[in-house]
Amino acid sequence: MPRQTAQSFFTPEEQARIEAAVRAAEARTSGEILPMVVDASYEYPRTEILAGGLLALALAATLSWIFGQASLWVFLPLYLLGYWPCTRLIRNLPDLKRRLIPAAELAAEVEERALLAFVEQGVHHTRDATGILILISLFERRVHVLADRGINHAVPKETWDEIVQLVTAGIRSGQACEALCAAIKRCGDLLEEKFPRKADDSNELPDLILS
């Protein structure tokens, strides 16, 4: 089964539904909502190096014991020959690779990726500092919501946790598009209450980014 990417995570019809949900939410508020899907928040090269190295070590040790009477001169060439294929194997088995990474590291990398996207996409440059980023990171299977300073003083952190749980549950149940649209509507409700639309509002951010 081919690995799912950000570009293929939503069908064209689902992408259109998400963009429509963003436009509908932003029509009621001066805030900006940016859903974003990325393949991964980080490449985790250390995991590939360590896990691939250990796998190559185990294979070389086993083969040298069976066929070379545990000779160091048999072990070393086998290890050197096996190291690169083993690291590539770990890279190409994302489910295994993810299980080898501590949960805290996965969460930290997704949060860092969200902060980077927040700056790169200009979410922090909206006129009233009322931008919201909803980041879905596929490799880590995590969702992160980041709101600008104009919103955070008015909305408790628990609200963003609820939105994360809403999207995460939808992805797990195979209803990612419906869940994301519901999360966008929820963000629109929050923004409408605190930051109603102004007469001269304009669309300052994209309605969906797949990266």
Side-chain angles (χ1 to χ4, degrees):
M1 181 177 179
R3 188 185 308 179
Q4 196 168 41
T5 67
Q7 294 293 332
S8 64
F9 187 65
F10 294 114
T11 67
E13 293 77 14
E14 289 174 332
Q15 292 176 33
R17 287 176 58 191
I18 294 165
E19 291 170 355
V22 172
R23 290 193 295 271
E26 292 180 348
R28 302 182 281 123
T29 174
S30 62
E32 293 283 331
I33 304 167
L34 175 58
M36 184 174 183
V37 185
V38 298
D39 294 333
S41 292
Y42 187 54
E43 294 300 324
Y44 306 94
R46 182 177 63 178
T47 299
E48 295 175 9
I49 292 170
L50 292 177
L54 287 173
L55 179 58
L57 180 68
L59 289 173
T62 301
L63 292 173
S64 66
W65 181 75
I66 294 173
F67 299 108
Q69 299 180 334
S71 169
L72 180 64
W73 302 111
V74 174
F75 166 79
L76 285 177
L78 287 174
Y79 176 75
L80 293 174
L81 287 170
Y83 174 77
W84 188 82
C86 286
T87 57
R88 294 293 297 181
L89 178 64
I90 298 298
R91 177 178 301 178
N92 290 309
L93 294 173
D95 288 341
L96 172 61
K97 180 178 172 180
R98 184 174 50 254
R99 287 179 172 85
L100 298 173
I101 303 170
E105 183 179 354
L106 293 171
E109 293 297 346
V110 173
E111 181 177 359
E112 185 174 332
R113 182 67 178 88
L115 288 168
L116 181 61
F118 201 80
V119 174
E120 287 180 339
Q121 302 302 326
V123 184
H124 67 309
H125 277 163
T126 59
R127 184 177 67 174
D128 298 318
T130 53
I132 299 176
L133 172 72
I134 304 175
L135 177 72
I136 300 174
S137 193
L138 297 180
F139 171 77
E140 292 84 357
R141 296 184 176 176
R142 278 170 165 72
V143 178
H144 193 84
V145 177
L146 193 58
D148 207 351
R149 61 191 182 280
I151 302 173
N152 274 333
H153 78 276
V155 178
K157 181 182 180 300
E158 292 74 18
T159 302
W160 310 127
D161 294 336
E162 293 169 9
I163 291 174
V164 167
Q165 293 302 319
L166 172 62
V167 179
T168 301
I171 293 173
R172 288 175 178 167
S173 65
Q175 303 293 320
C177 178
E178 291 77 3
L180 182 54
C181 288
I184 291 167
K185 182 181 182 301
R186 173 62 173 146
C187 289
D189 294 340
L190 292 169
L191 290 170
E192 183 181 19
E193 178 183 351
K194 305 292 183 179
F195 308 97
R197 186 173 177 82
K198 299 176 182 177
D200 60 344
D201 275 332
S202 62
N203 191 9
E204 300 177 72
L205 298 174
D207 294 331
L208 174 64
I209 293 180
L210 306 175
S211 176

